[in-house]
Amino acid sequence: MSRVRVAGVRTAWTTVEDGEFFCPACGGDRNYELRTGRRRLTVLRVPLLPRGTTGPTVVCSSCEGHFEPSALQQPTTTQLGSLLRDAVHAVALSVLGAGGAGSRTARDAAVGWLRNSGFASCDEEQLLTLLAALDADRAEPEHITERRAAPYATGLTSERELRAVLAPLAPHLESGGREGLLLEGACIALADGPYEDAELAVLAVVGDALRIPAEDVDRLLAAAPERS
């Protein structure tokens, strides 16, 4: 004869948020519910006295796994792809703007990288138009103070903007991925000859924003001519 459980604690869950996240257990993008719970003492399965709250917890709608809310800080595969494309675009434009915009070989190198990174419609004309627009934007009076303070001229308005694009991506890339971004930028800079000082300044910022130690940045840039 089974024994009847007289008393216990039951948790009533409430969904406070839902969306899509990268599930650590499934290894891919899944829907989730963010739940909070209220605990109550039960007698003969009847809820009586409150026993506080629990959670919040993230519940995967696919595997039903429970995870800490910090799991939502990991970008989804779609978000990570978008961050990576933005980073490629920013690095290519910044390196070109620092010295290679007038070189056909440098522009070809940038277009090739951009196309391989998801910008299938990118061509030289589009790149030149964008660089010209950004140069015109930098020439506006409201940008003068910022432009003088920046250590170089780039395809972006300032060093701050380049860092703002790269910084959110850095924690989510392995060292090889971060180094690969730097090396691709170096190949654009080297496409028309040795590094210019302004190009080295841009690449140093790229390395720092991607959390690559300075000594490794120097090593990678020194080795890049063999790769280009």
Side-chain angles (χ1 to χ4, degrees), residues 123-159:
D123 57 25
E124 184 180 13
E125 182 179 357
Q126 182 184 97
L127 202 61
L128 286 171
T129 300
L130 183 56
L131 284 168
L134 290 168
D135 284 340
D137 183 62
R138 286 203 308 270
E140 293 296 323
E142 60 265 28
H143 295 295
I144 290 177
T145 301
E146 186 176 3
R147 186 172 70 255
R148 288 175 178 171
Y152 54 80
T154 74
L156 297 179
T157 304
S158 68
E159 173 185 333

Side-chain angles (χ1 to χ4, degrees), residues 186-200:
C187 288
I188 294 174
L190 291 167
D192 59 347
Y195 296 117
E196 297 182 14
D197 288 344
E199 291 170 336
L200 287 173

